[in-house]
Amino acid sequence: MADLLGTAVVLIVAMGLAASFAVLARGGGPGGAMAVLLDFLVAAGLLRLSRAQTWTAIALAALTVVVRKVVVAGFLTRPRPPRRRTPAETR
């Protein structure tokens, strides 16, 4: 069972990387890509926590959640550049 959970954690991290690159490629910006990646990392950390119930694992999962919140909040507070208007919008 431990091998299965370890494999699942690796797959979740790999899927998180792929999903974050997909978000970045589709124009979601670095904030959106980072939020997606950190959501997957939180999922992997919680899955790992279910296997190894130690204080170190709990602290690592909590730290991942804190980093996710800080990074996403940082991207949300950054001012966005003004959007360029298309010729159809200027009429």
Side-chain angles (χ1 to χ4, degrees), residues 20 24 28-42 62-80:
S20 65
L24 195 59
M34 187 64 73
V36 168
L37 176 63
L38 289 172
D39 281 340
F40 275 90
L41 291 179
V42 167
L63 181 65
T64 305
V65 171
V66 168
V67 167
R68 183 210 181 280
K69 293 289 187 182
V70 168
V71 167
V72 171
F75 277 115
L76 291 177
T77 58
R78 286 179 48 185
R80 292 187 176 185

Side-chain angles (χ1 to χ4, degrees), residues 3-84:
D3 293 338
L4 181 64
L5 284 176
T7 304
V9 167
V10 171
L11 286 174
I12 289 172
V13 171
M15 289 187 308
L17 287 169
S20 65
F21 283 127
V23 167
L24 195 59
R26 299 265 329 212
M34 187 64 73
V36 168
L37 176 63
L38 289 172
D39 281 340
F40 275 90
L41 291 179
V42 167
L46 292 176
L47 190 59
R48 208 173 120 219
L49 180 61
S50 71
R51 181 181 61 171
Q53 298 174 350
T54 64
W55 285 108
T56 305
I58 293 170
L60 186 61
L63 181 65
T64 305
V65 171
V66 168
V67 167
R68 183 210 181 280
K69 293 289 187 182
V70 168
V71 167
V72 171
F75 277 115
L76 291 177
T77 58
R78 286 179 48 185
R80 292 187 176 185
R83 190 173 72 90
R84 296 181 75 190

